[in-house]
Amino acid sequence: MLFRSFRSSLPVARSYLGAVRSRCYARHSGISEVVPDYTALIYNQEAGVTRETGRVTLATLTSAYNTASVTLRVNTGSRFETEENNGASHFLQHLAFNSKAKNAPTIGEAFEKLGASVSVSNSREQIAYTVSVDGRDINAAISILGEMVNSLSDLTQEQVEQVRPRALEHQKAAVACKYKRSMDHLHSIIYQKDTLGLAKEGKAENLRKLDAATLSRSEEHTSELQSRSPPRM
């Protein structure tokens, strides 16, 4: 019962800590807190959803603006890892933009040529790549996102070594952040027998030894590549 109580209180704890962090930031930065108008049309539109077995789930929302955004959400993260490869998802998040593109040296540069605004958000169970472009370039943006996902199945050791310092630096920064460290500690206590207890950024020792073969197509561990298959998108 105690374990269930801890588990059920986790979402409440997350919400509370997030609210406290936002208010602290607003107070110390001198920025007033913004309250969204939830009666606005954007909050009341229904998205069209298309689902087909074994394929990508597609959700669309009509916009009256000249810009368009596409978000690729993948059910992947540290929850789908093991103790041995914890950090693979974090590593692949950095590798995604360093992979080769058809019309540019890297995926990141392909988005730059398109004039796109790109953002990435992640959790223990999901990662989202959001690209905003001129409405006329939306098909090109979708094509580059497809290249990005496909490129992760054919990584080279050179690519991995180029990204490794960045992944380690990000992991070090996460450990140094008291908020993130406390949340990781909370997860490790509540989910002691579950992979939800693993850190999002992984372990430094794993990040130092993960190689291209393990990240791309290793069958010895829970492959992050398998987590990026169409049914999970």
Side-chain angles (χ1 to χ4, degrees), residues 211-227:
D211 57 21
T214 302
L215 290 167
S216 292
R217 47 186 172 271
S218 174
E219 297 179 356
E220 297 177 3
H221 304 295
T222 304
S223 174
E224 275 301 303
L225 177 61
Q226 292 173 0
S227 296

Side-chain angles (χ1 to χ4, degrees), residues 102-119:
K102 287 182 180 178
N103 300 317
T106 66
I107 294 294
E109 290 176 86
F111 281 127
E112 284 183 11
K113 287 177 66 177
L114 204 60
S117 171
V118 184
S119 63

Side-chain angles (χ1 to χ4, degrees), residues 161-174:
E161 295 305 330
Q162 286 177 349
V163 170
R164 197 185 304 278
R166 200 184 316 157
L168 284 166
E169 183 180 353
H170 193 172
Q171 189 271 343
K172 184 179 179 180

Side-chain angles (χ1 to χ4, degrees), residues 38-207:
Y38 290 108
T39 62
L41 179 63
I42 190 173
Y43 293 108
N44 294 282
Q45 278 186 290
E46 288 190 12
V49 180
T50 303
R51 290 189 178 93
E52 292 185 32
T53 304
R55 303 191 69 179
V56 174
T57 298
L58 180 66
T60 56
L61 193 65
T62 303
S63 171
Y65 301 101
N66 293 326
T67 57
S69 296
V70 56
T71 298
L72 174 64
R73 293 186 179 276
V74 189
N75 292 331
T76 186
S78 56
R79 182 177 185 175
F80 304 99
E81 298 172 350
T82 66
E83 289 282 355
E84 289 74 22
N85 72 347
N86 180 214
S89 179
H90 170 63
F91 213 127
L92 286 169
Q93 178 183 329
H94 290 283
L95 278 164
F97 296 100
N98 200 54
S99 301
K100 295 178 181 179
K102 287 182 180 178
N103 300 317
T106 66
I107 294 294
E109 290 176 86
F111 281 127
E112 284 183 11
K113 287 177 66 177
L114 204 60
S117 171
V118 184
S119 63
V120 182
S121 61
N122 67 342
S123 68
R124 285 173 168 77
E125 301 176 273
Q126 191 177 83
I127 186 168
Y129 301 94
T130 299
V131 182
S132 298
V133 293
D134 185 287
R136 294 167 295 183
D137 296 324
I138 191 65
N139 288 332
I142 293 173
S143 178
I144 296 171
L145 278 172
E147 288 180 45
M148 182 184 75
V149 173
N150 290 331
S151 68
L152 296 177
S153 64
D154 191 26
L155 296 170
T156 66
Q157 192 59 34
E158 182 182 1
Q159 287 176 289
V160 172
E161 295 305 330
Q162 286 177 349
V163 170
R164 197 185 304 278
R166 200 184 316 157
L168 284 166
E169 183 180 353
H170 193 172
Q171 189 271 343
K172 184 179 179 180
V175 172
C177 175
K178 292 182 179 180
Y179 174 79
K180 288 187 177 182
R181 193 165 71 243
S182 62
M183 290 304 297
D184 284 343
H185 187 55
L186 183 61
H187 272 80
S188 67
I189 292 173
I190 296 175
Y191 300 107
Q192 293 183 37
K193 296 184 179 181
D194 194 294
T195 51
L196 270 173
L198 297 175
K200 284 196 305 179
E201 290 77 14
K203 301 176 181 178
E205 53 266 35
N206 286 353
L207 294 176

